[in-house]
Amino acid sequence: MGCGASNNVAADDSQHVPNAAVKSTSSRSLQEDQRKQQTTERVSPAPQASTTASTLNTMNVLISCHTNQQQIAEQIKNNLSKHRFTCYIINETTPESIVARANLIRWCNVFIVNISRMYQQTAFCMETINYAKDVRKPVIAIYAESNFQPYGALGAISASAIQSIVLTNDGVSENIIAQLSNIISSQENKKNTGKNVTDPEKIQTDNNRVNLIYNDKPCTVLICTTDEGLPVAKLIYNEFSAKNLNALVENLSDANATCSVRQCIVFIPILSAGFEKKPACRIAFEEARQLQIPIIPVMSAIDWKPQDWLGITVAGATYFRIYTQVSAYKPLYDSNRMTDLRVAVEIACQPRPSQAEREQTEMKILKEKIEECKNKLQTWPPSRKVRTINSTTDRQPVRVAIAEPNATLAFNHIHHTITRMDIKAPPPILDEYGLPKRVQLDCMISYQWDNQIFVRTVYEDMLMREVKAWFDIYGSMQGNTNDAMATGVECAKVMLVFLSKPYVESTNCQLEFRYAVKRGKAFVIIRTQPNIQMEQWMTEAIQGFPQYNAFSYDYLEKPINGVPTIDVIVQAIRTLAQAQPTETIDDCSAELFELRSLLDDARDALYNDAGQTRYKTCTRCNQQFDEFTKGGCKKHRAYYMGGTILEGRWVCCRQQATDSPGCEPCDHTDAVRVYTQNPDYGTWTWEPA
């Protein structure tokens, strides 16, 4: 991923307010009442605080949790209050107002997240930790479920926490409180005040109450704006209309404005200072959040960033900077911002099952498979494996020896520039249940934006060699940037890091790198500058992995023992990728996880009853697989040639070794494979491939 400064950071996150007075208020659940045609902005009670005697230098602590972990959060809050910390709890329902929620996160000095499956799957929980990351709050991760490891944005942000604590059977013990107290006290107490931070006890959420009238105009895309953003809104409308996208522009600056947010599929707010100040915009935005309508923000103001409630609502979001027609259509390689926006909208418009719908479909199928196993087994239930995850330790990658490059015949490199002729939303990739699934990748490209032109050139070379890579500016960055980045790390076998001084100094790049270490990814390093100084943990992470100097593209064209450096790098990526086992991401509820585990244990029992070994070794990649494994291997889609006039290589991907890793996804096999020559052409293939 290209790492740069966060687009969503408030202008000043160093604000501090005086201690809040002790006040107890009960939490309210989010009302599931039927929305009326005319809605008034919600009024939320002040969140509950806990503190001891007033002290000017107390630290402000925000504890974020899902309501299923509320009891643990209350224990932490009550115990930390005895250590002179002012503590608040924020969950998916309290406080209800996005103004109060955003203010709490800006107000705190330390952000504690209680990690659970329900937190991971609840949008209103995830927006809080995304915003905490955007405004650079120190994060402490509390792991309350022993069989769950967070993934996506939650996994990436928690991997870079200043402290990680796993709760055991003892729960919130005195020892844990002591650890929390020590780490909180070690953080800087920022005392500056700011206009966009308010004492949580004094926050007012009923100012500028207005009525927003909803209408029933159906539309695919609702472009919501104020007077400031109207020219940009019309520009987008004209583009979408030309592409047959049903769009509607609504200017909420108008006194008699109505809103179609309840009728749209995608919500595009045109962000500006005026938009953030308009209560009607806030109501429309909150309605879109409640209805879980995809929100794709467009920034229409130059050198402006959200200061108040907008910060939390767009935290981590991929948004598009469009100020004028020139900026909208200015070429960005083979695309432009308007085209990228349209593709993002097309992707958001694709029908996708909700998490609950997806899980219901899979659970139904799993229950049928479990019943089949139950009917075949002599005893039920089967012996159960203990599935406990230590979320504070890093997964270890497989390190393998990389063969020295060598070519005695002609093995020239030719660079090809790649241009997409038609840029449109790709169709979703579905799993065996007909549901969207993760794509297995050879590598993820990790770099700092200053190197983008160079990196894109290398990416083109990798495409020509059939390397499946995650690259942010080539369609991989959609939706939440933290989620997209984390998913890229999770799906990749190898991290291809373009190491530079700005990379090492970038907070976002370090977040990405740290998550790759957490997930146990292999590394291939391209140093784009000399004399790069890294922290010890980064140095240790890449130790033993291949590293290359490429201070310009010319370095990649130079041969190493007759092999162009770019080919040496690609072959190293393939070799390392093949050696890494496929990682299973536990992206489901506790109920679905239990069914998956039960089916796995039942299948173990079936093989044990039959006296057979469940897992086989693939004769192509040497990975373990069973009859239920889908994909996970690669074969060559073409043939091997050369060795007399030209250096021998697979024509599909330029790999030199006859038994090199393949380039086309396929299922594993345990069949005996024979290297076979075609006498008519003198080429070679494996049978079976």
Side-chain angles (χ1 to χ4, degrees):
M1 171 182 171
C3 307
S6 171
N7 290 326
N8 303 324
V9 180
D12 183 6
D13 67 349
S14 60
Q15 292 79 12
H16 178 78
V17 296
N19 292 331
V22 179
K23 183 177 180 180
S24 177
T25 60
S26 59
S27 299
R28 295 192 305 170
S29 298
L30 193 62
Q31 299 299 315
E32 295 295 337
D33 57 332
Q34 293 185 345
R35 294 181 172 87
K36 299 178 182 178
Q37 183 71 11
Q38 183 169 304
T39 301
T40 301
E41 185 178 7
R42 299 177 182 87
V43 181
S44 176
Q48 183 176 352
S50 177
T51 184
T52 54
S54 179
T55 169
L56 293 177
N57 295 318
T58 188
M59 293 285 284
N60 301 328
V61 179
L62 181 60
I63 304 167
S64 179
C65 70
H66 187 273
T67 46
N68 73 341
Q69 298 291 337
Q70 185 76 17
Q71 185 177 0
I72 292 174
E74 294 284 355
Q75 291 176 0
I76 294 172
K77 181 191 72 173
N78 293 337
N79 281 282
L80 287 180
S81 69
K82 300 173 184 178
H83 291 255
R84 289 184 165 183
F85 301 126
T86 303
C87 301
Y88 280 83
I89 295 175
I90 185 171
N91 56 39
E92 75 275 18
T93 62
T94 306
E96 202 171 336
S97 162
I98 54 176
V99 176
R101 294 173 73 84
N103 179 74
L104 268 179
I105 296 169
R106 292 194 302 272
W107 162 87
C108 74
N109 298 110
V110 175
F111 183 93
I112 298 178
V113 55
N114 283 3
I115 293 173
S116 66
R117 292 177 187 275
M118 289 304 299
Y119 191 103
Q120 177 89 61
Q121 296 181 12
T122 305
F124 292 171
C125 290
M126 288 303 302
E127 72 178 9
T128 62
I129 193 167
N130 275 300
Y131 191 41
K133 179 258 182 183
D134 275 359
V135 294
R136 304 288 191 260
K137 297 300 178 181
V139 174
I140 298 176
I142 305 289
Y143 297 90
E145 298 176 355
S146 61
N147 63 355
F148 175 64
Q149 182 170 11
Y151 56 93
L154 183 59
I157 296 171
S158 61
S160 293
I162 58 173
Q163 182 76 32
S164 297
I165 298 174
V166 177
L167 294 186
T168 61
N169 295 334
D170 297 333
V172 185
S173 63
E174 291 183 5
N175 180 52
I176 287 177
I177 295 300
Q179 290 183 57
L180 289 173
S181 178
N182 289 336
I183 192 66
I184 293 170
S185 299
S186 69
Q187 299 304 301
E188 181 183 357
N189 189 345
K190 299 176 181 178
K191 304 177 183 179
N192 297 331
T193 59
K195 63 180 180 180
N196 63 336
V197 176
T198 304
D199 184 336
E201 291 293 328
K202 300 175 182 178
I203 189 74
Q204 297 293 322
T205 62
D206 59 348
N207 290 339
N208 302 316
R209 293 181 64 183
V210 298
N211 291 333
L212 183 61
I213 300 175
Y214 297 101
N215 63 53
D216 56 359
K217 295 180 183 177
C219 62
T220 302
V221 182
L222 175 60
I223 306 169
C224 186
T225 185
T226 56
D227 288 338
E228 287 179 275
L230 191 57
V232 172
K234 291 180 178 179
L235 195 66
I236 296 171
Y237 173 81
N238 292 335
E239 168 71 17
F240 286 7
S241 296
K243 299 295 183 180
N244 296 319
L245 268 174
N246 179 18
L248 179 66
V249 175
E250 291 182 339
N251 184 357
L252 296 186
S253 291
D254 296 342
N256 299 318
T258 61
C259 187
S260 306
V261 65
R262 294 176 179 172
Q263 308 300 323
C264 71
I265 297 175
V266 178
F267 181 69
I268 300 182
I270 309 300
L271 306 186
S272 64
F275 188 99
E276 189 168 38
K277 294 175 182 177
K278 195 74 177 175
C281 295
R282 184 164 68 244
I283 298 171
F285 222 114
E286 187 143 22
E287 190 72 11
R289 289 170 66 246
Q290 295 288 344
L291 296 172
Q292 298 186 23
I293 295 171
I295 299 173
I296 302 178
V298 171
M299 184 72 72
S300 66
I302 300 175
D303 297 328
W304 175 84
K305 296 175 182 177
Q307 303 292 311
D308 194 9
W309 60 271
L310 260 179
I312 192 171
T313 55
V314 300
T318 301
Y319 56 77
F320 300 84
R321 294 184 178 275
I322 298 177
Y323 316 123
T324 61
Q325 183 166 355
V326 173
S327 66
Y329 293 99
K330 181 180 179 180
L332 295 171
Y333 304 111
D334 56 356
S335 184
N336 56 60
R337 288 172 178 168
M338 186 65 81
T339 298
D340 290 345
L341 172 62
R342 174 180 55 79
V343 171
V345 170
E346 290 173 349
I347 292 174
C349 287
Q350 291 176 345
R352 292 176 182 271
S354 67
Q355 178 78 12
E357 292 170 337
R358 189 193 73 80
E359 293 203 354
Q360 286 299 321
T361 301
E362 184 176 350
M363 283 193 287
K364 180 181 178 182
I365 297 172
L366 290 180
K367 288 176 181 178
E368 294 173 355
K369 293 181 178 180
I370 289 170
E371 193 63 28
E372 292 176 5
C373 293
K374 183 178 180 180
N375 294 334
K376 295 177 182 178
L377 287 171
Q378 300 175 8
T379 59
W380 189 265
S383 177
R384 304 303 305 275
K385 294 194 289 283
V386 177
R387 292 173 170 86
T388 301
I389 300 170
N390 189 343
S391 298
T392 61
T393 60
D394 298 335
R395 192 167 176 255
Q396 294 302 308
V398 176
R399 286 176 164 83
V400 295
I402 305 297
E404 284 292 323
N406 182 57
T408 57
L409 300 173
F411 196 39
N412 298 327
H413 164 63
I414 300 175
H415 174 74
H416 297 82
T417 298
I418 298 174
T419 300
R420 293 169 289 184
M421 300 302 295
D422 185 19
I423 302 177
K424 58 184 180 179
I429 299 175
L430 306 178
D431 63 13
E432 58 188 301
Y433 309 126
L435 300 171
K437 71 172 184 178
R438 294 168 178 264
V439 179
Q440 293 187 7
L441 302 171
D442 297 315
C443 73
M444 176 181 179
I445 297 175
S446 182
Y447 69 102
Q448 201 275 340
W449 281 336
D450 292 349
N451 277 327
Q452 193 173 89
I453 295 176
F454 173 48
V455 172
R456 187 181 185 279
T457 305
V458 176
Y459 176 70
E460 291 173 331
D461 288 333
M462 294 170 67
L463 279 180
M464 295 302 297
R465 289 159 176 77
E466 299 290 341
V467 176
K468 301 297 185 293
W470 190 101
F471 186 33
D472 57 353
I473 65 169
Y474 233 76
S476 296
M477 187 61 74
Q478 299 290 338
N480 182 284
T481 57
N482 298 322
D483 260 330
M485 174 276 291
T487 301
V489 172
E490 292 156 4
C491 293
K493 297 292 190 72
V494 177
M495 291 291 288
L496 176 60
V497 178
F498 288 78
L499 202 61
S500 63
K501 294 173 183 176
Y503 183 98
V504 172
E505 295 167 356
S506 166
T507 301
N508 287 332
C509 291
Q510 288 218 6
L511 181 80
E512 189 170 301
F513 192 99
R514 181 67 191 88
Y515 191 50
V517 174
K518 180 76 172 180
R519 286 288 177 182
K521 301 302 174 180
F523 286 92
V524 171
I525 305 297
I526 297 179
R527 294 176 178 270
T528 62
Q529 290 177 313
N531 305 319
I532 301 171
Q533 300 298 317
M534 294 183 292
E535 294 184 39
Q536 183 66 25
W537 68 272
M538 295 183 73
T539 302
E540 292 174 355
I542 64 176
Q543 187 174 3
F545 287 117
Q547 302 183 37
Y548 308 92
N549 290 333
F551 305 149
S552 67
Y553 185 76
D554 293 342
Y555 281 74
L556 298 180
E557 297 178 303
K558 295 178 180 178
I560 302 177
N561 297 332
V563 182
T565 300
I566 182 61
D567 286 291
V568 175
I569 292 172
V570 168
Q571 294 186 51
I573 291 172
R574 288 201 185 281
T575 301
L576 284 168
Q578 181 175 265
Q580 310 305 313
T582 300
E583 182 182 11
T584 300
I585 305 299
D586 180 18
D587 55 350
C588 62
S589 65
E591 182 182 2
L592 180 53
F593 177 77
E594 170 59 21
L595 289 176
R596 288 176 178 176
S597 302
L598 180 58
L599 178 60
D600 183 58
D601 292 339
R603 286 170 170 172
D604 278 345
L606 283 174
Y607 275 91
N608 288 335
D609 286 357
Q612 298 176 348
T613 301
R614 176 176 173 180
Y615 291 95
K616 306 172 184 178
T617 300
C618 179
T619 52
R620 191 185 294 114
C621 68
N622 293 320
Q623 294 289 351
Q624 296 291 297
F625 74 102
D626 66 7
E627 62 178 299
F628 312 106
T629 305
K630 303 295 182 182
C633 192
K634 287 194 172 186
K635 64 182 180 181
H636 289 289
R637 64 175 177 82
Y639 51 84
Y640 190 92
M641 63 165 288
T644 53
I645 300 175
L646 300 175
E647 184 68 23
R649 87 286 301 272
W650 289 94
V651 298
C652 46
C653 56
R654 284 175 62 93
Q655 296 290 289
Q656 289 178 268
T658 57
D659 60 348
S660 62
C663 57
E664 183 178 65
C666 64
D667 290 335
H668 293 289
T669 180
D670 64 340
V672 176
R673 300 168 67 239
V674 179
Y675 191 55
T676 306
Q677 185 180 35
N678 183 328
D680 294 334
Y681 298 99
T683 58
W684 295 79
T685 55
W686 285 96
E687 297 294 341

